[in-house]
Amino acid sequence: DQQVKQNSPSLSVQEGRISILNCDYTNSMFDYFLWYKKYPAEGPTFLISISSIKDKNEDGRFTVFLNKSAKHLSLHIVPSQPGDSAVYFCAAFSQGAQKLVFGQGTRLTINP
Amino acid sequence: EPEVTQTPSHQVTQMGQEVILRCVPISNHLYFYWYRQILGQKVEFLVSFYNNEISEKSEIFDDQFSVERPDGSNFTLKIRSTKLEDSAMYFCASKTDRMYNEQFFGPGTRLTVL
């Protein structure tokens, strides 16, 4: 089941630069998308979300972009900080179901 | 800030034994979930629970699994006869209502089946 895919298992970015994490989906029934951040030995922490009726949502240093025609979303973090080092999961949701469908995650490392 | 809590943080059990994983969702939330993550794999949905009944379950959630909300605060996942492949992190999550899509996760219980 590859309905949500994060093709980059890892990403390394210099502190202060922009981090861009990507996510693709195949199910056109998805109408809400979320990004979660996860530290080792902790549960996923909700970061930011976007509805399919929007193409951008911003919250401080975090911006999520949605391209519905390409079935692609991305998370931009700017400027990147060392505390942003974590695994980032993209998740998708459809109103007809109640479950989140997760991608495989991307491990982001911010280098000082 | 309210948070989802889970106990125990780590459970070790012998194959064939029953385990109960416990969760206390955020107090005004109405929808409850269990997910699991096998080491190195995706976070996978197991079951959703609303109004004291299962609203959706995955193919993983077979007859060996059950969920219960025994009182007004706890939400439990029971595995009747554990198998080696049940070893995983189990996450409980909750959300306020149907129109609000953000689910909030607990810290997880690491289940190790020997």
Side-chain angles (χ1 to χ4, degrees), chain A residues 1 4 32 36 38 43-44 46 49 93 95 97-100 102 104, chain B residues 31 33 35 37 42-43 45 56 91 95 98 101-103 105-107:
Chain A
D1 182 356
V4 178
Y32 203 84
Y36 285 85
K38 187 178 179 305
F46 169 69
S49 60
F93 180 90
Q95 290 299 337
Q98 285 293 309
K99 63 183 182 185
L100 291 175
F102 282 85
Q104 304 95 314
Chain B
Y31 286 80
Y33 306 84
Y35 292 81
Q37 185 182 28
K42 290 186 180 188
V43 176
F45 167 78
E56 187 174 351
F91 296 107
K95 70 169 189 172
R98 186 170 184 85
N101 297 320
E102 287 77 1
Q103 296 180 20
F105 284 76

Side-chain angles (χ1 to χ4, degrees), chain B residues 43-97:
Chain B
V43 176
E44 302 173 285
F45 167 78
L46 292 178
V47 66
S48 60
F49 191 86
Y50 169 71
N51 200 26
N52 280 320
E53 58 183 28
I54 290 173
S55 47
E56 187 174 351
K57 60 183 181 179
S58 71
E59 61 275 10
I60 302 167
F61 195 89
D62 61 22
D63 291 345
Q64 293 301 311
F65 291 86
S66 62
V67 289
E68 196 178 32
R69 189 155 161 80
D71 52 42
S73 58
N74 289 285
F75 179 50
T76 62
L77 173 69
K78 182 193 289 186
I79 309 175
R80 289 191 186 80
S81 178
T82 50
K83 308 189 214 29
L84 294 176
E85 54 265 35
D86 293 328
S87 295
M89 281 292 289
Y90 287 81
F91 296 107
C92 173
S94 67
K95 70 169 189 172
T96 53
D97 58 42

Side-chain angles (χ1 to χ4, degrees), chain A residues 19-56:
Chain A
S19 296
I20 300 176
L21 297 102
N22 293 302
C23 177
D24 297 294
Y25 63 96
T26 56
N27 188 341
S28 56
M29 297 299 291
F30 290 143
D31 52 16
Y32 203 84
F33 304 89
L34 306 90
W35 284 94
Y36 285 85
K37 175 180 177 180
K38 187 178 179 305
Y39 293 117
E42 293 185 14
T45 302
F46 169 69
L47 202 54
I48 192 169
S49 60
I50 188 166
S51 163
S52 60
I53 62 173
K54 296 186 173 182
D55 54 18
K56 178 182 173 181

